[in-house]
Amino acid sequence: PVYPNPPYDGQFTFTRLRYGPPLGEVGQRVPWSHDYPLGERHFMQIMKEVTYLHPKTDETSILGLDDVELGRSPVAYMTEPGYWFITDDEAEAFRAYLLKGGFVIFDDFAENRGGWAAFERTFRRVLPGARFYDLDVSHPIFHSFFEINSFDIVPQMYDEGRPVFRGVFEDNDPSKRLMAMINFNTDI
């Protein structure tokens, strides 16, 4: 079952993005729900143990791209974005979220699961002029908390080839804010 979103109280809450209509139940056939709710609970438990973030560990939020509550989430997560589809209203609202300072992590997709071309086509409806930058291990995001000096440590459970990490930056300038982290050909 899809659990209700907790009321907003300022405490960090994992926010998963859904595409398509709200559902009462989800499963492996609903791509955006892959690993729900265990994935976020596990990740937030780790964050609780290794940081001072003090996130909610049992409650998570699932929000549509045009939900006004998304503005209260500094970080959002989408899984299986190769299958992502979007309306014009969702594209406009999600664009506003990103431009106002929101950050999104796209994760868990590869050519055999929706593919890059489908993702890029949809993302360009949100930010038409966006440029995708390949990130290597020298990028600061890989040295912000954990020291990641090689992508060889990223296990490939079912995606062939090497993982690819890409970013979208504010004003297409890699010296500015990272707005989107894209984990392609891998499942972090």
Side-chain angles (χ1 to χ4, degrees), residues 67-120:
D67 192 316
V68 297
E69 292 295 312
L70 184 56
R72 293 182 168 173
S73 299
V75 178
Y77 173 85
M78 182 185 290
T79 188
E80 299 283 356
Y83 299 113
W84 176 29
F85 56 91
I86 193 168
T87 68
D88 290 341
D89 288 343
E90 289 171 327
E92 184 178 332
F94 194 44
R95 178 182 315 110
Y97 166 76
L98 292 172
L99 294 176
K100 287 181 180 178
F103 175 72
V104 62
I105 301 166
F106 294 103
D107 187 40
D108 191 10
F109 72 118
E111 287 305 330
N112 62 343
R113 289 178 288 121
W116 178 262
F119 167 78
E120 183 176 357

Side-chain angles (χ1 to χ4, degrees), residues 111-131:
E111 287 305 330
N112 62 343
R113 289 178 288 121
W116 178 262
F119 167 78
E120 183 176 357
R121 193 170 37 254
T122 303
F123 190 86
R124 288 200 186 282
R125 292 187 59 203
V126 176
L127 293 173
R131 182 168 173 204

Side-chain angles (χ1 to χ4, degrees), residues 133-148:
Y133 290 86
D134 284 353
L135 305 178
D136 62 29
V137 294
S138 69
H139 191 276
I141 199 164
F142 301 113
H143 306 282
S144 300
F145 189 83
F146 292 107
E147 215 30 65
I148 299 172

